[in-house]
Amino acid sequence: MKLIIVVVQDQDSNKLLNTLTEHNFRVTKLSSSGGFLKSGNTTFMIGTEDIRVEKALQIIKDNCKSRDQLVAPVSPMGGNADSFIPYPVEVEVGGATVFVLPVEQFHQF
């Protein structure tokens, strides 16, 4: 048995949740926020048998796309302003960060 932890951008969360449940994956959805962009994320916890991990990963890959986003940088507070960029910067966001962990025991009460 494996535990799959998936962090996705909020924009992808509903589509991913619907597709996972359509394929009979049991999913726990948690609200979270990212440290870099301080934007909303969704974290999913999926417990599944080893043989279904690849199917779950394919569903995640098909439903979570990266995209470009303009980000306004935060001005430095008391730091060196020489490297400060005063205009928005385009960064790639989205996609999915996935962790697959072994489960030693599973109990359902």
Side-chain angles (χ1 to χ4, degrees):
M1 177 154 244
K2 300 287 190 221
L3 174 63
I4 304 171
I5 301 173
V6 187
V7 181
V8 302
Q9 203 172 31
D10 281 344
Q11 293 172 276
D12 296 325
S13 66
N14 286 333
K15 185 177 177 186
L16 178 60
L17 180 62
N18 292 336
T19 307
L20 286 168
T21 54
E22 285 172 8
H23 287 86
N24 297 318
F25 285 97
R26 299 181 90 181
V27 182
T28 299
K29 178 181 172 183
L30 306 168
S31 295
S32 55
S33 62
F36 176 62
L37 298 176
K38 311 276 191 278
S39 62
N41 291 328
T42 301
T43 301
F44 293 99
M45 296 189 317
I46 308 161
T48 190
E49 299 82 14
D50 291 359
I51 61 172
R52 297 196 68 209
V53 169
E54 288 305 316
K55 179 64 177 175
L57 293 175
Q58 189 61 51
I59 291 169
I60 295 163
K61 184 177 179 181
D62 291 345
N63 287 277
C64 300
K65 305 295 182 198
S66 60
R67 55 191 69 80
D68 292 330
Q69 178 177 324
L70 287 175
V71 177
V74 178
S75 63
M77 297 290 288
N80 184 354
D82 293 339
S83 62
F84 175 67
I85 304 170
Y87 49 87
V89 177
E90 190 171 66
V91 296
E92 186 176 309
V93 297
T97 302
V98 182
F99 303 91
V100 180
L101 308 167
V103 174
E104 192 171 311
Q105 291 185 16
F106 170 72
H107 303 279
Q108 199 169 15
F109 301 107

